[in-house]
Amino acid sequence: MSDYKELLEKAGEFHGDICGGIVMGTKLAIHGMENMGMTPGEKDKRLIVFTEIDRCISDAILSVTRTSMGKKSLKPMGYGKSAATFVNIETGEAIRVIDKKVNKDYPEEPVEERIERIAKTPGEELFDIQKVKVKIDPNDLQGKPLEVAECVECGEEVLDGKHHLRGGHAYCTSCYDKSYYEIIG
Ligand SMILES: [Zn+2]
Ligand SMILES: [Zn+2]
């Protein structure tokens, strides 16, 4: 329990404040790592985490699991769901941890009370766990880039096999498909 409070504190520091999402995300990450036989709060080179939402809980998951995008150990999926998958890349073992949304029963709960309640509640009561299989492309693992291509359209470099082939030529995603930006200058 003291562990939870300590990790919560750190996650709050990283996020900027301890909000409801940090309270749950910290607990979710602890539950996930413990179920993987790993130590919450400690970096584990075998771990890759897929988070399914770009909201508060993912900051707590990043903080507790010590994963990062730069180390290719944190994969943001943007599904808009309060869930995360923990993969052991050595054994292939993977679990998906899903928030059961128990907090819906406590709509007006102040965050201090939520912290105390969540600290005391066993993870099993708050989260469901699915055993899953995750196929990880070697390009998505840490290390030297396995593939480097140059887009024939914009001339920019594309790493990690993220290019697309058309007529034997390499294209970046922006040139091949649609882009999230529009060049105006
Ligand atoms: Zn927040
Ligand atoms: Zn391009």
Side-chain angles (χ1 to χ4, degrees):
M1 224 201 292
S2 58
D3 250 10
Y4 171 74
K5 294 257 176 92
E6 209 174 289
L7 293 168
L8 179 70
E9 202 67 39
K10 279 192 194 154
E13 253 165 53
F14 176 71
H15 183 60
D17 66 329
I18 298 178
C19 60
I22 294 298
V23 172
M24 288 315 282
T26 301
K27 191 79 177 185
L28 186 152
I30 292 170
H31 193 55
M33 282 190 90
E34 282 179 349
N35 274 277
M36 295 295 282
M38 296 173 176
T39 311
E42 279 180 26
K43 192 169 274 192
D44 196 313
K45 285 201 157 114
R46 301 167 298 172
L47 180 66
I48 286 188
V49 177
F50 292 77
T51 59
E52 298 189 14
I53 193 162
D54 50 354
R55 282 185 177 274
C56 308
I57 72 160
S58 288
D59 273 356
I61 292 168
L62 179 156
S63 172
V64 173
T65 61
R66 307 278 310 277
T67 53
S68 80
M69 281 178 68
K71 295 276 187 201
K72 286 176 164 283
S73 52
L74 182 79
K75 312 286 190 194
M77 301 309 288
Y79 286 10
K81 297 169 88 177
S82 298
T85 294
F86 296 72
V87 184
N88 181 329
I89 54 171
E90 254 174 46
T91 62
E93 185 200 351
I95 54 166
R96 184 165 173 264
V97 184
I98 311 124
D99 185 355
K100 286 202 229 185
K101 302 281 180 187
V102 171
N103 289 344
K104 275 194 179 145
D105 299 337
Y106 304 84
E108 305 294 334
E109 189 179 38
V111 78
E112 297 74 29
E113 278 175 36
R114 179 156 295 184
I115 291 169
E116 294 308 319
R117 180 173 56 81
I118 296 302
K120 280 186 243 135
T121 310
E124 294 76 29
E125 291 178 24
L126 301 167
F127 309 104
D128 283 319
I129 286 191
Q130 295 171 332
K131 271 193 159 188
V132 295
K133 212 168 137 177
V134 182
K135 212 176 151 215
I136 297 176
D137 188 312
N139 277 306
D140 293 332
L141 295 172
Q142 217 193 325
K144 267 178 103 169
L146 301 176
E147 290 181 60
V148 180
E150 195 180 294
C151 175
V152 290
E153 188 101 12
C154 66
E156 292 176 15
E157 195 176 66
V158 183
L159 301 190
D160 301 330
K162 304 299 181 196
H163 61 283
H164 310 267
L165 290 172
R166 186 190 286 140
H169 296 294
Y171 291 85
C172 72
T173 299
S174 285
C175 297
Y176 180 82
D177 195 6
K178 55 176 194 263
S179 185
Y180 70 93
Y181 60 85
E182 198 183 329
I183 300 167
I184 56 165

